[in-house]
Amino acid sequence: MAIPDENIHPTATGNAAKVVAEHQAKQDLVFYSGWFCPFNQRVWISLEEKGIPYQYKEVNPYKKEKHFLDINPKGLVPAIEYQGKALYESLVLCEFLEEAYPNYEPLLPVDPFERAHVRLWIDHTSKTIIPSWHRILQAQSVEQQDAARQELYEAQRKLAQQVKGPYFTGKEFSLVDVANAPWVAREYILAEHRGYDRAQVGDGWSEYAERLATRESVIKTTNDKDKLQVIYDRYLRDEAQSEVAKALRAGRPLP
């Protein structure tokens, strides 16, 4: 995100800072993180949910170390280094953690059909919910905001209708919940600046969203609101230069 160095906090804050401090020891898995990134938070939530040992390393978006660029030429977080090998892309990483650490708390169902069902709704999240969320965030005219808000309501409503409760697959927290939680935890930004109202979604979205936002792993990996606001002010003015922001302006799928 192209935000001047002096305006962006360099490291995690609040609850997230406490978790960072607990994960500085060397481990087989190194988590390269950007505290402010919701895509990044997906992987962080998965690590905390599964209880996998990991070493946390903050990536400065303006002064990326050569080693980080060597393992991830795209230069984007999240990324991991696992036993000397590197991977990136948030949902790829979440599934990798399932396969590489089978003896830890699972976030995918065992049944093949249920696994496929979960993946379908992760795909729905990626292709409809997240793009609509960001469109309303960046929309400047009232008409654009109204249209994007209705798109977001409809996308969330479709997912809400599939929730078995209390989480997507029922009692167990799954990767569908992980995929949505970072944006649910940031819905207050849309409520304060774009007229978003959870209650307008219907079909139990408000209750589901509240359960996600108050999940321990989500709270533990969430930063102070005032530090996040600095990030999102750029989006609200449609001045952000992140890959997501540029893709939306160009009418391209999100990276």
Side-chain angles (χ1 to χ4, degrees), residues 32 34 47 91 151 167 169-170 178 181 214 230 239:
Y32 291 93
L47 287 166
L91 294 175
E151 287 178 10
Y167 300 108
T169 63
V178 171
T214 56
V230 174
E239 295 175 357

Side-chain angles (χ1 to χ4, degrees), residues 174-192:
S174 78
L175 284 186
V176 176
D177 307 311
V178 171
N180 283 276
W183 286 269
V184 166
R186 291 162 170 78
E187 281 182 353
Y188 69 90
I189 296 167
L190 301 186
E192 292 175 3

Side-chain angles (χ1 to χ4, degrees), residues 66-169:
K66 182 180 182 299
H67 179 69
F68 177 69
L69 293 174
D70 286 343
I71 67 171
N72 181 5
K74 295 179 77 171
L76 301 175
V77 293
I80 65 167
E81 194 170 10
Y82 175 72
Q83 298 179 352
K85 295 175 287 187
L87 290 170
Y88 44 91
E89 301 294 347
S90 65
L91 294 175
V92 171
L93 295 180
C94 288
E95 292 231 15
F96 168 78
L97 295 176
E98 288 296 294
E99 296 175 359
Y101 294 88
N103 297 324
Y104 288 75
E105 189 68 25
L107 294 172
L108 279 173
V110 174
D111 179 77
F113 181 87
E114 293 300 323
R115 280 191 171 222
H117 183 68
V118 162
R119 290 184 172 115
L120 281 174
W121 287 95
I122 291 174
D123 188 64
H124 170 79
T125 297
S126 296
K127 291 180 178 177
T128 62
I129 292 179
I130 306 308
S132 297
W133 201 100
H134 282 273
R135 269 194 290 274
I136 184 175
L137 182 71
Q138 290 179 227
Q140 297 301 293
S141 73
V142 173
E143 292 77 15
Q144 289 174 327
Q145 292 171 14
D146 289 346
R149 190 185 311 110
Q150 293 307 314
E151 287 178 10
L152 180 57
Y153 287 161
E154 180 60 22
Q156 291 176 329
R157 188 175 301 121
K158 287 181 179 179
L159 188 141
Q161 290 167 352
Q162 297 293 319
V163 174
K164 295 179 180 179
Y167 300 108
F168 182 80
T169 63

